[in-house]
Amino acid sequence: MQSLKHRPAIPRGKGRRKRNKNKVKLSGKRVLLAGAAALLMVLVGRSLLPALGISAPGLSHGADETPSEVETKAPPPPTIDLNGVMVHGGGTAMITLNPGLVRLGGGVTVQGSGFDQGSMVDVYLGPSSQPGQKPAKSAGPDAKPHQVATAKAGKWGVFTANFTMPSKMTAPVQEVTAQARGSSDKVAKADAAVAQGAGQATLSAVVGKPGDTVNLSVKGFSPGEQLNVYWGRINGDPNLTLKADEGGAVGKTPIRVGVTAVGTTSLVVVGKTSGAAASAPFQVLRLYPSIKLAPYAVKATQKITFSGSGFAPSERVLVRLNAAGGQPVMAIATSDAGTFKGAGLIMPFQLKGAQSLVFTGEQSRAAVSTGFTILPFTPQARTNAYGGLPGTMVNFYATQFAPNEAVHVTVRTAKGATPQLVAAFRVDAKGAARAVGQYTIPGNTEDTVVFELHGQRSDATATVNFKVDKSGGPVDIPPAKPYVVPKDLEN
């Protein structure tokens, strides 16, 4: 008791400060030890444990890293019987899709509810695994689930996320899964149906004329199927045939604008296997064809040539004379540029004066006309003498008749007399003849004899006057027998 009594007294305030100081030192050491242990655990978890195939709870790869293979969990099964149907109870995670029928390349909005407030929700897309749904046949972009969006659940556990449906899909139904990170029961699924038979077609230009080149892109068809391309129609022979790739698409492919009605029309693509169809609007411009003639004036048996441009590529141009319809006199095929040249027609003898040629595209119906003139033949003729006494034998010289035509000679021995056929001959390829035909001036002829040389094809006539001198008395010349035209000189 005396020892306690004589122990120096420690002031109350100083003792408490000393004990608190020791406690602070001890707490600081503990904090440092705990921090070092946590750091060591993180380092081991990120390096050594994964290398040994061991996963550590609470460790993740980070929000920016995407796992090579995604395994989405199934939502909890329904547990409540409502009118014979098993349904989920309240508070279950759920998502809805808008739209539920999606076109390839189209946007989808995912709306979710029932998730934990503030939780991060990952959205995955993959082929449907529900009974009765056919899985994807190939390892394409939709063969396995892959992440397409991330959202944060707000107040009341609601979130909204958007993603774009890939342009190449093989499965007809895609399963959308929303899964909260770090939660085993906050999972919801919904199916998005991929629109079948609803292909898409786009053109690099929306205005042009037949024969212009534009680029065509299509998607939404069956993999590898034949695609028939039509301009302004959906049947008959296609203007072009393409083949879809394994994703049911065709990249930018140059095609020519086909022949169709002027104005607003459509390019139509039809899948031969799937029956899917797609169309793209197009404004077809008018064709303005033109014709060049050479020469613009010809005689019968001569050729008139013509060249054309501005028609549709590889179409036939129908040529008609003096008519816009009816049987064409010829048809000319245009080139890939809608042109032709070097065509021509030999003019017949029956045509006289001004004429018109009408050119009409067989497919495009584009038409143009041009005029020309048929010139008449103007033959010249003379006899071997300008005059003579009765009994003089006459023959003939002629030029500028139609090539190779027969010429018939008639004579009038008096004014008002009926012309009599007295000779016939054929001109050469240049329409000329020399010293042909024979005729004897009758003994009773006085004054002037008139000869008319008439071309049987050209219908042209040359006239020659022969002066008959007075004989001073009767001339005994037997009358000539009536002339009969030989068969080979009838025309």
Side-chain angles (χ1 to χ4, degrees):
M1 297 295 294
Q2 289 181 356
S3 60
L4 293 176
K5 185 177 181 180
H6 294 282
R7 178 178 297 175
I10 300 174
R12 186 175 181 180
K14 292 183 179 181
R16 288 183 177 177
R17 283 195 298 268
K18 187 174 182 180
R19 285 195 298 269
N20 290 337
K21 187 176 181 180
N22 291 336
K23 288 182 180 181
V24 169
K25 290 182 179 180
L26 182 59
S27 298
K29 291 180 180 180
R30 288 177 180 176
V31 170
L32 290 175
L33 289 175
L39 178 62
L40 179 61
M41 182 176 180
V42 171
L43 293 176
V44 172
R46 289 186 178 273
S47 58
L48 180 60
L49 294 182
L52 297 176
I54 302 172
S55 60
L59 296 178
S60 64
H61 295 279
D64 296 333
E65 298 182 11
T66 303
S68 59
E69 292 186 7
V70 179
E71 294 184 2
T72 57
K73 298 181 179 180
T79 58
I80 300 174
D81 187 342
L82 178 61
N83 200 25
V85 178
M86 299 303 293
V87 297
H88 292 284
T92 305
M94 181 186 70
I95 59 172
T96 57
L97 307 179
N98 187 21
L101 179 62
V102 191
R103 187 186 295 272
L104 294 178
V108 181
T109 298
V110 183
Q111 293 180 324
S113 61
F115 289 83
D116 294 333
Q117 180 177 342
S119 62
M120 298 301 297
V121 181
D122 296 323
V123 179
Y124 301 92
L125 178 68
S128 176
S129 58
Q130 291 188 5
Q133 301 289 355
K134 295 181 179 180
K137 296 181 180 180
S138 64
D142 59 340
K144 293 181 180 180
H146 57 285
Q147 186 173 343
V148 292
T150 299
K152 183 177 182 180
K155 193 175 182 179
W156 315 117
V158 174
F159 75 88
T160 300
N162 296 282
F163 71 91
T164 301
M165 186 68 70
S167 59
K168 294 183 179 181
M169 307 291 289
T170 56
V173 178
Q174 295 293 313
E175 188 175 71
V176 179
T177 304
Q179 182 170 331
R181 296 180 186 176
S183 176
S184 60
D185 58 347
K186 296 301 181 181
V187 180
K189 294 179 181 289
D191 283 338
V194 180
Q196 300 296 311
Q200 296 181 61
T202 55
L203 294 170
S204 60
V206 295
V207 177
K209 65 181 183 299
D212 289 348
T213 300
V214 295
N215 289 325
L216 169 65
S217 300
V218 299
K219 59 184 177 180
F221 292 86
S222 295
E225 75 170 321
Q226 176 180 313
L227 305 178
N228 294 331
V229 181
Y230 303 91
W231 281 98
R233 55 191 174 87
I234 58 173
N235 52 19
D237 295 331
N239 296 84
L240 181 68
T241 299
L242 303 174
K243 185 178 181 180
D245 59 20
E246 62 181 9
V250 175
K252 292 183 178 179
T253 301
I255 66 169
R256 285 190 175 232
V257 177
V259 177
T260 185
V262 173
T264 302
T265 186
S266 295
L267 175 138
V268 181
V269 183
V270 180
K272 186 174 182 180
T273 302
S274 65
S279 65
F282 194 84
Q283 184 75 19
V284 179
L285 302 179
R286 181 181 304 177
L287 291 171
Y288 292 93
S290 61
I291 298 292
K292 291 183 179 180
L293 293 181
Y296 281 94
V298 294
K299 293 180 179 181
T301 73
Q302 292 181 340
K303 185 178 183 179
I304 187 169
T305 60
F306 31 81
S307 301
S309 62
F311 291 93
S314 304
E315 74 168 337
R316 292 200 317 166
V317 176
L318 307 181
V319 184
R320 296 180 175 91
L321 182 66
N322 299 323
Q327 184 71 22
V329 297
M330 70 180 302
I332 312 166
T334 63
S335 66
D336 286 343
T339 63
F340 66 86
K341 61 181 180 179
L345 288 170
I346 295 177
M347 295 297 105
F349 286 104
Q350 294 82 1
L351 295 179
K352 310 292 181 182
Q355 308 292 323
S356 293
L357 282 172
V358 180
F359 299 80
T360 306
E362 188 174 34
Q363 294 178 323
S364 65
R365 304 294 182 182
V368 60
S369 64
T370 186
F372 66 98
T373 302
I374 299 292
L375 300 175
F377 285 91
T378 56
Q380 302 292 322
R382 60 172 290 186
T383 56
N384 57 338
Y386 289 106
L389 294 169
T392 303
M393 184 174 290
V394 178
N395 53 28
F396 307 93
Y397 292 78
T399 59
Q400 299 181 40
F401 279 95
N404 302 310
E405 73 172 331
V407 178
H408 294 181
V409 182
T410 60
V411 63
R412 285 183 298 171
T413 57
K415 290 182 179 181
T418 301
Q420 295 180 349
L421 184 65
V422 296
F425 60 88
R426 188 175 298 278
V427 296
D428 60 17
K430 294 183 179 180
R434 291 165 292 278
V436 292
Q438 289 184 350
Y439 177 71
T440 301
I441 302 297
N444 59 352
T445 305
E446 296 181 0
D447 200 8
T448 301
V449 174
V450 179
F451 294 100
E452 290 184 349
L453 286 71
H454 184 76
Q456 297 303 293
R457 295 180 181 174
S458 65
D459 198 29
T461 300
T463 301
V464 180
N465 293 326
F466 185 89
K467 178 65 175 177
V468 179
D469 296 333
K470 293 182 179 180
S471 61
V475 178
D476 187 13
I477 299 175
K481 295 180 180 180
Y483 180 80
V484 179
V485 178
K487 289 288 185 183
D488 63 336
L489 292 179
E490 288 182 351
N491 53 40

